[in-house]
Amino acid sequence: MKNKIYNWKDTLSAYGFLSPWFIGLILFTGGPIIASIILSFTNWNLLGSPEFIGFDNYKALFAEGSDFLNSLKVTFIFTIINVGVSVIASLLLAVLLNFKVRFMGVFQFCYFIPAVMPSVIIAFVFKLMLNKEIGVVNYILSLIGVDSPPNWLNDTFWIWPTIAIVSIFTYSTGQMMLIFSSALKDVPKELYEACDVDGANFFQRFLYVTIPSISPIILFNTVVATVNSFNSSFSLIFPLTNGGPGSETEVLSLSIYKHAFKLFDMGYASTLAVILFIIVAAIAAIQFRLSKNSVHY
């Protein structure tokens, strides 16, 4: 009987400590999701009362003149670039930092700095550095003889390579680097010793031992990076390009902002938010489904 009482006390204590997280989840995540779903069936300009219009907002997504399909395409392009670059860069940094080098802690600290800096600040720094007229990048290029350096942020040819470079310095790279670094330390040394006996080189060891051994962590980081890329693309794209040049980089999150707070069409913006939520959930489910045969636990 006493054990049951103690168990109830432990359970209540645990839920008491977890309650701030649950309250935050309900108020700041669950509540807005439910509100967005409801508002997606309405016409509301933020001033009057919402007017129920059924599925008209969803039909408007594919109407003539809609920017939805372009924003969807841009979002997928951004996500593929952002996830690919950040995951590969963080894995390579983790591999390099697992070599026995002096001042490894200093390097880890330097690479982790972007993880504790808001993406908005990073975007503004790169916007100044890449400015065609006063940017330090073009100034350095002019010193080495480049007469007409690129207009990095306003040229459709250079905009996506520029975003790929900036993606390396986002907070996801530093976080994933530390996770990969910890995972690499847990790879059994006996496997590397067996490779040495068989005469395997560094790349063979990395491909056939390291990658399979840390495949669960690769899956975890890829899924998290994908979700973050969809959800946090606004904080990087808005200050860096504002969707330009033209609508070349207008991701869905930026389109949601434009329709909600510039055009005051909260119903349509909520529809876009619901579609974005469904896409993120579907892609995460697909990633887990496809990983069954390639992830080794």
Side-chain angles (χ1 to χ4, degrees):
M1 188 68 181
K2 288 184 178 181
N3 289 335
K4 289 184 178 181
I5 293 174
Y6 284 127
N7 287 337
W8 272 108
K9 286 182 178 180
D10 292 340
T11 302
L12 289 175
S13 297
Y15 280 114
F17 284 111
L18 290 171
S19 59
W21 184 85
F22 282 118
I23 293 171
L25 177 66
I26 294 170
L27 292 179
F28 302 111
T29 303
I33 290 174
I34 295 172
S36 295
I37 294 173
I38 295 173
L39 287 174
S40 69
F41 297 101
T42 67
N43 179 25
W44 186 37
N45 63 358
L46 293 175
L47 297 177
S49 300
E51 175 190 358
F52 180 77
I53 58 173
F55 288 92
D56 287 356
N57 285 326
Y58 290 91
K59 294 177 183 177
L61 294 175
F62 304 99
E64 186 178 354
S66 172
D67 58 356
F68 169 67
L69 292 179
N70 178 68
S71 296
L72 187 63
K73 180 191 74 173
V74 172
T75 302
F76 276 102
I77 293 173
F78 172 79
T79 301
I80 292 171
I81 292 174
N82 184 264
V83 173
V85 168
S86 59
V87 170
I88 293 173
S90 59
L91 178 57
L92 293 178
L93 286 173
V95 171
L96 291 174
L97 291 176
N98 269 268
F99 287 110
K100 293 182 179 180
V101 295
R102 297 179 62 185
F103 309 114
M104 185 176 68
V106 176
F107 287 112
Q108 287 180 330
F109 172 77
C110 292
Y111 293 136
F112 189 71
I113 286 178
V116 295
M117 291 180 63
S119 298
V120 175
I121 295 177
I122 296 173
F124 273 119
V125 169
F126 272 98
K127 189 171 185 177
L128 288 173
M129 292 173 59
L130 297 169
N131 186 279
K132 180 176 171 54
E133 304 298 333
I134 62 173
V136 65
V137 174
N138 281 358
Y139 174 71
I140 294 173
L141 290 176
S142 66
L143 292 179
I144 60 176
V146 179
D147 295 329
S148 56
N151 191 358
W152 303 99
L153 300 176
N154 289 291
D155 190 321
T156 55
F157 178 80
W158 288 106
I159 188 63
W160 286 115
T162 301
I163 289 175
I165 294 171
V166 177
S167 296
I168 298 175
F169 299 91
T170 56
Y171 69 92
S172 296
T173 303
Q175 290 178 332
M176 290 189 293
M177 178 202 67
L178 289 184
I179 296 173
F180 276 133
S181 182
S182 299
L184 289 171
K185 290 181 173 63
D186 291 333
V187 178
K189 294 182 179 179
E190 295 81 5
L191 297 178
Y192 290 128
E193 292 172 355
C195 287
D196 292 336
V197 172
D198 292 336
N201 57 36
F202 172 81
F203 294 102
Q204 290 171 327
R205 291 172 54 184
F206 181 76
L207 185 61
Y208 297 111
V209 175
T210 304
I211 294 297
S213 298
I214 65 171
S215 55
I217 305 301
I218 295 176
L219 172 64
F220 171 79
N221 278 337
T222 302
V223 172
V224 171
T226 302
V227 174
N228 286 340
S229 182
F230 275 102
N231 293 335
S232 63
S233 56
F234 175 84
S235 61
L236 181 67
I237 295 296
F238 178 67
L240 187 65
T241 68
N242 195 22
S247 58
E248 185 74 18
T249 59
E250 188 173 304
V251 291
L252 268 176
S253 56
L254 186 57
S255 184
I256 292 170
Y257 166 79
K258 182 181 75 174
H259 284 281
F261 301 109
K262 287 188 175 182
L263 302 178
F264 300 104
D265 191 352
M266 188 59 70
Y268 187 80
S270 298
T271 304
L272 292 175
V274 171
I275 296 298
L276 181 61
F277 174 78
I278 293 172
I279 290 173
V280 172
I283 290 178
I286 292 171
Q287 286 176 317
F288 279 110
R289 181 74 175 178
L290 296 177
S291 67
K292 285 187 175 182
N293 297 326
S294 58
V295 176
H296 308 278
Y297 293 98

